[in-house]
Amino acid sequence: MSLFDSAERWHKQAQRLLAGRYSLAPEFDRSQVSPYFRGNGSRNVDTPEYAASAVSGFADWRLAVTGLVEHPLSLSLDNIHRLPQRTQVTRHDCVEGWSAIGEWTGPRLSTILRGAALKPEARFIVLRCADTLAGTQYYESIDLIDAFHPQTIIAHKLNGEPLPVRNGAPLRLRVERQLGYKHAKFLTGIEAVASLAGIGGGKGGYWEDRAGYQWYAGI
Ligand SMILES: Nc1nc2c(c(=O)[nH]1)N[C@H]1C(S)=C(S)[C@@H](COP(=O)(O)O)O[C@H]1N2
Ligand SMILES: [Mo]
């Protein structure tokens, strides 16, 4: 076997893997939406600040875009609503063995990241959440392939209505090629980093740190 053959085989395998990462999650018809999209994990945020913000319709909510970016941002819900929007009907799969179909609306994460302009050292996007579970702040992280995937959005609507509190109001990640625990709810921040070491327990997410869940939860 020549060096060329093995290089070609390597290329084909890499190509197949990458094509997998870039392909789209199935989308459904609006008529297939689940009548009730349950809330799982944190179904609320147990702080007076969150309760007050909810009463005001989250008028004071900010999504901070920080870390390895040229232009750090602090986005209001109004800023988020003015970006180009994407609506997608997708199926959410939780490791606990339930699924639900919902219609999600929001800007692509890629639009926000282009606005902030990632520095070349950035390799991961960390999603910061307002809630604590068992005394630890929930967080998640994804790589740049998923961060720039066309179906990765910062959702502010479920089935045409502002996100219910149980589903992560006012903002939650939808990263449709991965399992439910990656879809961080109650988003307060997006942080571009070069490494996940030193963030939380270092494994890239709340459940990854706590229960050894896979960091890449592809479906
Ligand atoms: N901030 C935060 N995000 C979270 C969780 C959580 O507890 N806190 N639970 C995760 C899990 S395990 C699932 S299955 C989904 C549930 O989303 P839902 O409440 O809209 O059904 O949110 C994920 N994102
Ligand atoms: Mo889950």
Side-chain angles (χ1 to χ4, degrees), residues 37-42 92 94 96 98 104 129 131 133 138 166-167 172 180-186 207:
F37 203 111
R38 62 178 278 184
N40 199 45
S42 296
H92 179 100
C94 172
E96 291 164 19
W98 59 274
W104 305 97
C129 305
D131 60 314
L133 259 185
Y138 200 95
R166 68 172 186 276
N167 302 111
R172 67 101 50 87
Y181 60 88
K182 302 296 292 187
H183 300 235
K185 305 195 286 186
F186 314 110
W207 287 112

Side-chain angles (χ1 to χ4, degrees), residues 27-216:
E27 293 195 16
F28 299 82
D29 190 78
R30 184 70 164 85
S31 65
Q32 292 169 284
V33 156
S34 304
Y36 180 78
F37 203 111
R38 62 178 278 184
N40 199 45
S42 296
R43 295 164 48 87
N44 205 334
V45 180
D46 192 15
T47 65
E49 293 78 17
Y50 184 84
S53 188
V55 166
S56 78
F58 300 102
D60 60 347
W61 197 267
R62 290 291 180 282
L63 180 69
V65 186
T66 60
L68 297 171
V69 295
E70 302 291 349
H71 312 297
L73 304 171
S74 171
L75 302 173
S76 66
L77 290 191
D78 195 49
N79 295 149
I80 300 269
H81 293 156
R82 283 167 198 270
L83 295 171
Q85 305 288 304
R86 178 176 165 85
T87 292
Q88 58 200 29
V89 181
T90 54
R91 196 187 62 225
H92 179 100
D93 294 310
C94 172
V95 273
E96 291 164 19
W98 59 274
S99 299
I101 294 179
E103 182 198 68
W104 305 97
T105 301
R108 285 183 166 136
L109 177 55
S110 63
T111 303
I112 295 173
L113 294 178
R114 287 200 178 93
L118 293 182
K119 293 186 176 173
E121 314 89 84
R123 287 189 52 213
F124 303 98
I125 303 299
V126 177
L127 293 311
R128 302 285 190 184
C129 305
D131 60 314
T132 48
L133 259 185
T136 307
Q137 201 93 20
Y138 200 95
Y139 79 101
E140 259 304 336
S141 62
I142 56 177
D143 66 13
L144 296 186
I145 295 179
D146 267 325
F148 283 86
H149 187 284
Q151 291 168 316
T152 299
I153 66 174
I154 301 298
H156 55 80
K157 280 197 170 76
L158 170 59
N159 301 335
E161 301 289 336
L163 278 189
V165 166
R166 68 172 186 276
N167 302 111
L171 298 171
R172 67 101 50 87
L173 179 71
R174 294 300 309 170
V175 52
E176 305 293 355
R177 298 294 315 284
Q178 296 204 51
L179 286 171
Y181 60 88
K182 302 296 292 187
H183 300 235
K185 305 195 286 186
F186 314 110
L187 286 179
T188 56
I190 291 174
E191 193 181 336
V193 299
S195 157
L196 298 173
I199 311 246
K203 299 210 172 85
Y206 176 85
W207 287 112
E208 291 89 327
D209 289 340
R210 191 179 171 80
Y213 284 20
Q214 295 291 313
W215 173 75
Y216 182 70

Side-chain angles (χ1 to χ4, degrees), residues 1-10:
M1 189 179 63
S2 73
L3 184 62
F4 177 77
D5 286 338
S6 70
E8 188 176 74
R9 176 137 38 88
W10 178 86

